[in-house]
Structures are given as C-alpha cells and as structure tokens.
Amino acid sequence: MSQSVDRALTLLDALGDAPLSLEQAASSLGVHKSTALRLLRTLEEHGFARRQPDRRYRIGGRVLSLAHRALEDFDVRQVAAPYLAALNARCGYTVRLAVLHDGEVLYLDEVAGLPGAEPSRLGRRAPVHGTAVGRVLLAGLSADGAREEDLPEELAAVRRRGWAAESREHREPVTCVAAPVAGSAGRAVAACALSAPASEVPPAELARMVPELLCTAEAISLAYGGSPTPRWCENRCGARPAGHASRTSGRASAARRR
C-alpha cells in the first residue's frame, strides 16, 4: 500500500467528519505539519479539500460530485427486482422497469403476466414519445430544471398526476400505465409499468391498479435512496416514509422488507 495514498485517504475521511486545522490534520495522521500540509495542498489542488477563511480545511466539492455520480450508477434494476415481483404477484399483469438510454426507452427488467399474453420487451428499445414509460421519464427528468408551465402540456399533466397511461402503446396491442422511480435529486431514474393485452384488459380496468403501481414505484424510490412523493401504502409494500435507506444498503433493506 502506498503510504502517501493511505495518509491522503485517512485525512480525507477525517475532513468528512469536521473541518481541521493544520495542527489537527498532522495530529490525526501522526505526522509532521509539513507532511500534512503537502497532503492538504494536494487534496485542495484536486478539489477534494478546500481552505476556509479561518485557515481550517474542510471537504471539497469534488467529493460531493464523485459521490453523486457513484450513487446515480447504483443498479436500480437490482433494487427494484423484489418489488416488481411482488406487484406482479398481487395483480397478475406484466410488470416492467425501463430507463432512458441514448434518447430511447430501454426495458431493463420484466416479470411476465399470463404466459403468452404479450411479447417480452426485455432488452428492447422503444420511442420516448410513443410510450407511457417514456413520457413519465421525460416529465421526471424535467422536474429539476423546468417549471411545470414551461413543459409541453402532455408532460405537465403527467407530472401533476404522477403517472401516465397509454392504450395500444408503441403500435402494440397492449394497455399500459407507468410511474416514475426517483433518484437522489428527485429526478426520474427509471419508470415502473404495468401492461396487459388491450383485447383482454380495457384501460379503465388497468387504471384501477394505479394505486398499487404508485406504491411500488415509490417503495423502489425509497430503497434506491431517492425522494419519492409521499403516497405511502405500507400495508402493500412495506415502504416507510419516516426515513430513507441509503443506496449502499438498498439491497439489505429490500431483503428485510421482502
């Protein structure tokens, strides 16, 4: 192990607890002040530390940036899997998880309804504007930067309602309802959807499952570490609005609830 890297990481961890003076930094590492100063200046140069007017050092913005990127890369599919299965068991319809990728909808996961009821979309792509999941994702992605009145009317309505519906979605004979899964900044990182053959399940019947869908999407958001809207259905999903699980403990939290 590189001694310098080890000391720098130890110092970075200490800065995360509280601002440190040069003397405190040196003491925490058990090194001379000149060594601590070199480490602090290196961390400062790369944005991992910053010097305050009182000459103490604190954590830098680069750490927050890296943490945010790491959290957004967390596997939402893994977190969502038990909730998708539970929703499918309750309603019997096909449940899907989708994200935006390269300007299209990409279906990440799927729990099928009745055998042969509709073709699988797992791993397939679809147009953003031609799908309920696409509209939910677009409305949720706009949530952090655009006012509702600045959105297209259709997306503004989706944002207000919290879900989207589509009949015969993407030129396929299916009925679909979709709701957003929120990430750490409140933006939609994925969409959870229920679908069924349009010939067998009319839109009004599928729409009756929207409370279950919203509950599931928001339970996934909570397990993922996001900030969902509080439409909690604890009797269905075990989602608890009192506190958010960290994403690093998302799998354990989901396992305990299931």
Side-chain angles (χ1 to χ4, degrees):
M1 181 184 294
S2 168
Q3 187 179 52
S4 295
V5 173
D6 180 56
R7 286 173 173 172
L9 292 176
T10 300
L11 183 55
L12 191 60
D13 188 58
L15 291 173
D17 294 331
L20 299 176
S21 66
L22 176 58
E23 291 76 12
Q24 289 171 325
S27 177
S28 69
L29 294 175
V31 298
H32 192 273
K33 286 194 295 184
S34 61
T35 301
L37 183 59
R38 285 196 300 271
L39 291 170
L40 286 167
R41 284 179 174 173
T42 300
L43 290 173
E44 184 178 19
E45 182 179 349
H46 290 275
F48 291 102
R50 65 183 179 88
R51 192 185 186 195
Q52 300 181 150
D54 63 3
R55 297 187 178 183
R56 292 189 302 166
Y57 290 83
R58 68 177 305 149
I59 207 81
R62 183 77 182 279
V63 174
L64 301 178
S65 175
L66 288 176
H68 180 73
R69 283 157 55 187
L71 291 177
E72 291 302 326
D73 285 341
F74 192 77
D75 191 353
V76 66
R77 182 175 181 269
Q78 189 175 48
V79 171
Y83 297 98
L84 302 183
L87 178 58
N88 170 265
R90 291 197 301 273
C91 70
Y93 300 130
T94 297
V95 184
R96 294 188 173 101
L97 185 74
V99 296
L100 282 182
H101 187 264
D102 292 337
E104 294 181 298
V105 170
L106 173 64
Y107 292 95
L108 289 184
D109 205 356
E110 178 179 288
V111 184
L114 296 175
E118 56 180 296
S120 173
R121 293 191 189 179
L122 186 61
R124 292 174 57 188
R125 295 176 179 272
V128 174
H129 293 283
T131 58
V133 290
R135 289 193 297 279
V136 160
L137 288 166
L138 288 177
L141 284 173
S142 302
D144 63 341
R147 297 175 302 174
E148 187 172 292
E149 56 266 31
D150 295 331
L151 291 175
E153 183 178 348
E154 185 180 33
L155 294 185
V158 169
R159 184 193 290 185
R160 287 194 300 270
R161 187 168 55 180
W163 58 280
E166 182 71 16
S167 180
R168 299 185 181 275
E169 178 164 315
H170 188 34
R171 300 183 180 179
E172 292 184 3
V174 300
T175 301
C176 178
V177 288
V181 173
S184 60
R187 301 168 74 240
V189 296
C192 181
L194 279 175
S195 68
S199 60
E200 299 179 17
V201 182
E205 183 176 336
L206 195 64
R208 291 208 304 267
M209 298 302 301
V210 166
E212 295 275 0
L213 173 67
L214 290 173
C215 174
T216 297
E218 292 170 5
I220 297 170
S221 298
L222 182 67
Y224 187 68
S227 305
T229 305
R231 297 188 187 98
W232 304 105
C233 310
E234 190 170 334
N235 60 316
R236 296 189 180 104
C237 294
R240 300 180 183 275
H244 291 176
S246 69
R247 291 183 188 173
T248 53
S249 63
R251 281 176 290 178
S253 298
R256 285 194 297 271
R257 284 192 289 268
R258 292 296 158 203

